[in-house]
Amino acid sequence: MRSIRIPHPHVGLALRDKHFVTALLAEFLGVLLFQLLAGSIEHGPVETATAFAAIMYFVGPLSGGHLNPMVSLAGAATGHIDLVRGLCYAVVQILGAIMGAILQVWLISDFSFGAASDSCVAPPKHVSGPQLWGWEFLLAFFFLAVMYSSVFVAPGHGGAAPLAAGLALLAALSTGGFYTGGSPLNPARLFANMVVFRCDVAWGWTYLAAHLAAIGAAVAWVWPVHGLGMFMGGPRPDSFTGTANTLGGSSLTDPFLAGTTGSSGGPTSGTGGGGGGGG
Amino acid sequence: MRSIRIPHPHVGLALRDKHFVTALLAEFLGVLLFQLLAGSIEHGPVETATAFAAIMYFVGPLSGGHLNPMVSLAGAATGHIDLVRGLCYAVVQILGAIMGAILQVWLISDFSFGAASDSCVAPPKHVSGPQLWGWEFLLAFFFLAVMYSSVFVAPGHGGAAPLAAGLALLAALSTGGFYTGGSPLNPARLFANMVVFRCDVAWGWTYLAAHLAAIGAAVAWVWPVHGLGMFMGGPRPDSFTGTANTLGGSSLTDPFLAGTTGSSGGPTSGTGGGGGGGG
Amino acid sequence: MRSIRIPHPHVGLALRDKHFVTALLAEFLGVLLFQLLAGSIEHGPVETATAFAAIMYFVGPLSGGHLNPMVSLAGAATGHIDLVRGLCYAVVQILGAIMGAILQVWLISDFSFGAASDSCVAPPKHVSGPQLWGWEFLLAFFFLAVMYSSVFVAPGHGGAAPLAAGLALLAALSTGGFYTGGSPLNPARLFANMVVFRCDVAWGWTYLAAHLAAIGAAVAWVWPVHGLGMFMGGPRPDSFTGTANTLGGSSLTDPFLAGTTGSSGGPTSGTGGGGGGGG
Amino acid sequence: MRSIRIPHPHVGLALRDKHFVTALLAEFLGVLLFQLLAGSIEHGPVETATAFAAIMYFVGPLSGGHLNPMVSLAGAATGHIDLVRGLCYAVVQILGAIMGAILQVWLISDFSFGAASDSCVAPPKHVSGPQLWGWEFLLAFFFLAVMYSSVFVAPGHGGAAPLAAGLALLAALSTGGFYTGGSPLNPARLFANMVVFRCDVAWGWTYLAAHLAAIGAAVAWVWPVHGLGMFMGGPRPDSFTGTANTLGGSSLTDPFLAGTTGSSGGPTSGTGGGGGGGG
């Protein structure tokens, strides 16, 4: 493994890059729409998952389609995006969710500033504090793991990535969501609830602590398994370009075959073909 | 940015082009089926979304699969299709919806000319006029944004484009649809209701004004972010042909990497790799 | 257009071809499973559509995944498959559905020979005969149209073809199915009901007549729009091989651009890029 | 057909292969999550299917995404993976399910060791023993058949493979699941129920016998139809690499055309283009 190189890019420089600003606008608008759509009804897993997937189809080509501070911060922590991008994404995502919640107050008669709304999340009574934390942690880790294989680690899932993300949210919310009060696994949404509706404050920190732990667990899993990203000395994803389609098209069929190609090892010397190696 | 060149094609010439006529027939038949299927039951988001996606799989290879005057007019306004095509599409889409509504009168005992039917849309009582306008505007803009990334802006979402469109409709109708009375975000459907069932007349112009504003907002978003289309001096989508698969297959994983390839900028000089540039 | 050449292949010869026999076995087993799964519960659109799509993922690589005599016969009528294949498929599909129904009698306590079962389809009382015929005809034509763009006409929808077929069934059954009694748009299923459960006999011929008319309408639509298939002088689908991915990956984004490439026509001389041309 | 060569790889050697260990960890974690999510609610087909598909998007690039001892053992029996891999996968899958069930006891107040829980499966009263066996056998064979075409046999379904697997589970559980008590068709889940919750013991062996028979039936089907895998003398999947995309992109449109390309046979000498041949 190469030595890890932490990039120190310059924020001011980045903001003069048109494409970086576009990506920030896309993330802002995306999370705004996510809060506006999925937060306007009670916590239906189907509505949350379809809104996330559809918005990811919208902003994916512009920003990568994170739509979640957990995803951006984890991606920065493992070097799959650079630190400035990760932090800026997280900030605009939170601002987007807050702006979405403000729009909700204007657009929905039942919503008002400082009063609990349908967007609020409350842990159910039959779940203890550690159980709430454990569920939220495991669900968040699961969601992060699917996002890593979808958008960060080459070859990704291509045009199916938003479907994978939506399915992960649907699976998590329609099962474990029963024990977390339907939390959408999204710190930005949580902050918006805290700031605009003044709800989720009491339990919000339990959720946030679980999210933070999930980022840590994702890093601990991704580092040895997939290797660090290009911003920490890992391989560039576009080094896959020549064969990206091949791997993308059949990555699920031959992960254990790549290693045997021209390998002197035995037939069991399989390799995580889709993983991109440990650098 | 190059100077904008408005094309002035000749309608009579276009109608002698077999493939253009085929595209018009496909849009006519597609919206007819959309009205017939999704308009025959009360405004179920799932039925509307699956009908739209399935019909888009049918007509997509023939006409691009717009199935919505908003989409065609917005595409023409940003130069992603030419003006004649956009206007002709909008006309046949409206005619298709009207013919679908006429077929419904024959095929469904409960439907009759000039009487409100299950296809009619009524804003719910708990929503004020500006709120109705605001919801319809935001949902329509959201739908247009997903359609742009799916069918207009290279590399698009390929075979997943109808899924993206269907997910967008499902997300919009199952959440915000509660506040718009289940409006299918489609002016053609609205005109058919007005003409055949004489409903939606009172509120119809609110919806249509919101649709028009959404087209304007989509143009204002697409112009700086994606650049104008080839009919207004933008790059040709098939200039992506050489690497279309690569970008199509992994566009969601590396939008911020394209800019660093052979770039002298820092690691944050990302670029909207899927966006097609600003011309 | 080249002159039409009707192939006269030899059935006995075909049956000595291992791959042809495999395809027949796959269609037999596929429709058997479709009857067994979707016919064991009352006519749920979701169950019917998911069963069809999943089975199509199973048999698609072996037989093309028709699973419906309408599809096979229409494909043969337009020359997209040869006549012997179309007829043999239809026969084994019907036999498969009958065998599936026989298995149901053994596997489900409530089912017995000659008695109406959950698999039976009955037109609802609120629908007249011509209305039933009209709905079944339009839904069947819609389903055939989606199947053409998915499996017959290059470039098809690739790995998304079963999703397209499932969405078409879901859209048709969850809307128009209310007026056809939930008919699965499949003559093989209908014959199995007639033979094994002795139901659907009175109304069955209305359904079958609608299916036959839908085949005719599909041929009348496909011939001028897509052109005939390779078995009637049309282009070979694998003549797309060189660029199949490009077209497949972005066929929905540029159907109207192909015609302008190197074309001396105006910008409106678009072409149905996905259509395969009229020979 | 070449002579069959049974590989005798060395387990100890395999465990020193980082990528093999990663694959085992992925399968362990994947089945753990599957038990935790889908086993925490009563047997909802949608929840089971979405959890399976989403987890397959997570672990697919690492291990192939089997998540089911039936799949791994059948794949080993037909030579599509090697024997050591198949056996090790099965073991860690069962351990993962047991660990998931243990986590459930900690995370859900209603669950406790040795007491029946929502994860338990009970055959419904209206189904006899042979009927239960028959349903479970047919559903398991159907699921295995879809998994073969998705992950084992070239060209597979690429990024749509998890969707195919999820649709197969959804179709099976939402129809036949009514007659099997909602069994998730997964021996690992069954063992976890037996060990941790001490349920499913009386009927568990009926399920397991059906699973074993389904493996046998899948082998009997795959051997002549697709041919054995590379670990038993079959062709290497990556021998498809050059044209994998072409076949992957259009495999559903031209299975019967491959045989006619440059073939001297008649037009009916079709071939299972997606099958990979019998060696």
Side-chain angles (χ1 to χ4, degrees):
Chain A
M1 184 161 304
R2 290 170 242 171
S3 68
I4 296 171
R5 166 176 59 87
I6 305 281
H8 295 279
H10 194 283
V11 179
L13 208 83
L15 288 179
R16 271 179 301 201
D17 176 356
K18 180 204 154 192
H19 295 296
F20 184 69
V21 176
T22 295
L24 293 186
L25 277 174
E27 287 288 318
F28 175 82
L29 194 52
V31 181
L32 183 156
L33 286 167
F34 185 46
Q35 167 69 23
L36 188 64
L37 296 182
S40 295
I41 45 158
E42 280 191 70
H43 312 287
V46 174
E47 288 82 4
T48 302
T50 53
F52 193 90
I55 296 168
M56 202 168 155
Y57 271 118
F58 162 28
V59 303
L62 294 169
S63 70
H66 300 184
L67 299 170
N68 192 326
M70 273 202 300
V71 175
S72 299
L73 294 177
T78 53
H80 288 88
I81 58 174
D82 71 83
L83 206 58
V84 166
R85 181 175 291 266
L87 293 173
C88 290
Y89 272 29
V91 169
V92 297
Q93 284 157 353
I94 291 169
L95 293 178
I98 291 173
M99 183 57 72
I102 292 173
L103 269 179
Q104 283 175 316
V105 172
W106 179 60
L107 283 170
I108 304 176
S109 304
D110 294 345
F111 282 41
S112 56
F113 291 110
S117 75
D118 278 357
S119 177
C120 295
V121 175
K125 296 217 187 315
H126 54 90
V127 176
S128 72
Q131 284 175 337
L132 177 68
W133 188 93
W135 273 112
E136 187 77 5
F137 165 73
L138 284 166
L139 297 181
F141 170 77
F142 165 58
F143 177 66
L144 278 177
V146 174
M147 288 300 276
Y148 260 93
S149 74
S150 296
V151 300
F152 284 136
V153 181
H157 293 309
L163 297 179
L167 283 168
L169 272 183
L170 182 55
L173 300 193
S174 65
T175 58
F178 181 65
Y179 303 101
T180 64
S183 152
L185 304 171
N186 199 321
R189 295 275 308 275
L190 209 55
F191 278 119
N193 285 347
M194 285 183 178
V195 169
V196 177
F197 304 119
R198 303 240 178 252
C199 60
D200 295 1
V201 179
W203 288 91
W205 303 106
T206 307
Y207 290 115
L208 288 173
H211 296 167
L212 203 61
I215 294 175
V219 173
W221 167 260
V222 167
W223 193 341
V225 165
H226 293 290
L228 294 174
M230 64 168 283
F231 291 98
M232 289 194 186
R236 296 176 54 89
D238 55 2
S239 63
F240 269 83
T241 303
T243 52
N245 285 307
T246 304
L247 287 167
S250 62
S251 67
L252 292 170
T253 67
D254 62 5
F256 37 82
L257 294 175
T260 60
T261 312
S263 159
S264 61
T268 57
S269 68
T271 143
Chain B
M1 184 161 307
R2 292 170 241 171
S3 68
I4 297 170
R5 166 175 59 87
I6 305 282
H8 295 281
H10 195 283
V11 179
L13 208 85
L15 288 179
R16 272 179 301 201
D17 177 355
K18 181 202 153 192
H19 295 296
F20 184 68
V21 176
T22 296
L24 293 186
L25 278 174
E27 287 289 319
F28 175 82
L29 195 52
V31 181
L32 184 156
L33 286 167
F34 185 46
Q35 167 70 21
L36 188 65
L37 296 182
S40 294
I41 44 160
E42 280 190 70
H43 312 287
V46 175
E47 288 82 3
T48 302
T50 52
F52 194 90
I55 296 169
M56 202 168 155
Y57 272 118
F58 162 27
V59 303
L62 294 168
S63 69
H66 301 183
L67 299 171
N68 192 324
M70 273 202 301
V71 176
S72 299
L73 294 178
T78 53
H80 288 88
I81 58 174
D82 70 83
L83 206 58
V84 166
R85 181 175 292 266
L87 293 172
C88 290
Y89 272 29
V91 169
V92 297
Q93 285 158 354
I94 292 170
L95 293 179
I98 291 174
M99 182 58 72
I102 292 173
L103 269 180
Q104 284 175 317
V105 173
W106 178 60
L107 284 170
I108 305 176
S109 305
D110 295 345
F111 282 42
S112 55
F113 291 109
S117 74
D118 279 356
S119 177
C120 294
V121 173
K125 297 216 188 316
H126 56 89
V127 177
S128 73
Q131 284 174 337
L132 177 68
W133 189 92
W135 273 112
E136 188 76 5
F137 165 73
L138 284 166
L139 297 181
F141 171 76
F142 166 57
F143 177 66
L144 277 178
V146 175
M147 288 300 277
Y148 260 95
S149 74
S150 295
V151 301
F152 284 137
V153 181
H157 292 310
L163 297 179
L167 283 168
L169 273 183
L170 182 55
L173 300 192
S174 65
T175 58
F178 181 64
Y179 303 101
T180 65
S183 153
L185 303 172
N186 199 320
R189 295 276 308 276
L190 208 55
F191 278 119
N193 285 347
M194 285 184 178
V195 169
V196 178
F197 304 119
R198 302 240 179 252
C199 61
D200 295 0
V201 179
W203 287 91
W205 304 106
T206 307
Y207 290 117
L208 288 173
H211 296 167
L212 202 59
I215 294 175
V219 172
W221 167 259
V222 168
W223 192 343
V225 167
H226 293 292
L228 293 174
M230 63 170 283
F231 291 98
M232 290 194 185
R236 297 176 54 88
D238 55 3
S239 64
F240 268 84
T241 304
T243 52
N245 285 307
T246 305
L247 289 168
S250 62
S251 67
L252 292 170
T253 67
D254 61 7
F256 38 83
L257 294 175
T260 60
T261 313
S263 157
S264 60
T268 58
S269 68
T271 143
Chain C
M1 185 162 304
R2 292 171 241 172
S3 68
I4 296 169
R5 167 176 58 88
I6 305 284
H8 294 280
H10 195 284
V11 180
L13 208 84
L15 288 179
R16 273 178 300 201
D17 176 355
K18 180 202 154 191
H19 294 296
F20 183 68
V21 176
T22 295
L24 292 186
L25 278 174
E27 287 288 319
F28 175 83
L29 196 52
V31 181
L32 184 155
L33 286 167
F34 184 46
Q35 166 70 22
L36 189 63
L37 296 182
S40 295
I41 44 159
E42 280 190 69
H43 312 286
V46 175
E47 289 82 2
T48 301
T50 52
F52 194 90
I55 296 169
M56 204 169 153
Y57 271 118
F58 162 27
V59 304
L62 295 168
S63 70
H66 300 184
L67 300 171
N68 191 325
M70 273 201 302
V71 176
S72 299
L73 293 178
T78 53
H80 288 88
I81 59 174
D82 71 81
L83 205 60
V84 165
R85 181 176 290 266
L87 292 172
C88 289
Y89 272 29
V91 169
V92 298
Q93 284 158 353
I94 292 170
L95 294 178
I98 291 174
M99 183 59 72
I102 292 173
L103 270 179
Q104 284 175 317
V105 173
W106 177 61
L107 284 170
I108 305 175
S109 304
D110 294 345
F111 282 42
S112 54
F113 291 110
S117 75
D118 279 356
S119 177
C120 294
V121 174
K125 295 216 189 317
H126 56 89
V127 177
S128 72
Q131 285 176 337
L132 177 67
W133 188 92
W135 272 111
E136 186 78 5
F137 165 73
L138 284 166
L139 298 181
F141 171 77
F142 166 57
F143 177 65
L144 278 177
V146 176
M147 289 299 277
Y148 260 94
S149 75
S150 296
V151 301
F152 284 137
V153 181
H157 293 308
L163 297 179
L167 283 169
L169 273 182
L170 183 54
L173 300 192
S174 66
T175 57
F178 181 65
Y179 303 100
T180 64
S183 153
L185 304 172
N186 198 319
R189 295 275 309 276
L190 208 56
F191 279 119
N193 284 347
M194 285 184 179
V195 169
V196 177
F197 303 120
R198 304 238 177 253
C199 61
D200 295 0
V201 178
W203 288 91
W205 303 106
T206 307
Y207 290 116
L208 288 174
H211 296 167
L212 203 60
I215 294 176
V219 173
W221 167 261
V222 168
W223 192 341
V225 166
H226 292 292
L228 294 173
M230 63 169 282
F231 291 99
M232 290 193 184
R236 297 176 54 89
D238 55 3
S239 64
F240 268 84
T241 304
T243 52
N245 285 307
T246 304
L247 288 168
S250 61
S251 67
L252 291 170
T253 67
D254 61 5
F256 39 82
L257 295 175
T260 61
T261 313
S263 158
S264 60
T268 57
S269 68
T271 141
Chain D
M1 184 161 306
R2 291 171 241 171
S3 67
I4 296 170
R5 167 176 59 87
I6 305 282
H8 295 279
H10 194 284
V11 180
L13 208 83
L15 288 178
R16 272 179 300 202
D17 176 356
K18 180 204 155 189
H19 295 296
F20 185 69
V21 176
T22 295
L24 292 186
L25 277 174
E27 287 287 320
F28 175 82
L29 195 52
V31 181
L32 184 155
L33 286 167
F34 185 45
Q35 167 70 21
L36 188 64
L37 297 182
S40 294
I41 44 159
E42 280 191 71
H43 313 287
V46 174
E47 289 81 2
T48 302
T50 52
F52 193 91
I55 297 169
M56 203 167 154
Y57 272 118
F58 162 27
V59 303
L62 295 169
S63 70
H66 300 183
L67 300 170
N68 190 325
M70 272 202 302
V71 176
S72 300
L73 294 178
T78 54
H80 288 88
I81 57 173
D82 71 81
L83 206 60
V84 165
R85 181 175 291 265
L87 293 173
C88 290
Y89 271 30
V91 168
V92 297
Q93 284 159 352
I94 292 169
L95 292 178
I98 290 173
M99 183 57 73
I102 292 172
L103 270 179
Q104 285 175 316
V105 172
W106 177 61
L107 284 170
I108 305 176
S109 305
D110 294 345
F111 281 41
S112 56
F113 291 110
S117 75
D118 278 356
S119 176
C120 294
V121 174
K125 295 216 189 317
H126 55 90
V127 177
S128 72
Q131 284 175 337
L132 177 67
W133 188 93
W135 273 112
E136 187 78 5
F137 164 74
L138 285 166
L139 297 181
F141 171 78
F142 165 58
F143 177 66
L144 278 177
V146 175
M147 290 298 277
Y148 261 93
S149 74
S150 296
V151 300
F152 284 137
V153 180
H157 292 309
L163 297 179
L167 283 169
L169 272 183
L170 182 55
L173 300 193
S174 65
T175 58
F178 181 65
Y179 303 101
T180 65
S183 152
L185 304 172
N186 198 321
R189 296 277 308 276
L190 208 57
F191 278 119
N193 284 347
M194 284 183 177
V195 168
V196 177
F197 304 119
R198 304 242 177 250
C199 61
D200 296 359
V201 179
W203 288 92
W205 302 106
T206 306
Y207 290 116
L208 289 173
H211 296 166
L212 203 61
I215 295 175
V219 173
W221 167 260
V222 168
W223 193 340
V225 166
H226 293 290
L228 295 173
M230 64 169 282
F231 292 98
M232 289 192 185
R236 295 177 55 88
D238 56 3
S239 65
F240 268 83
T241 304
T243 52
N245 284 309
T246 304
L247 287 168
S250 61
S251 68
L252 292 171
T253 66
D254 62 4
F256 38 82
L257 295 176
T260 60
T261 314
S263 158
S264 61
T268 57
S269 68
T271 141

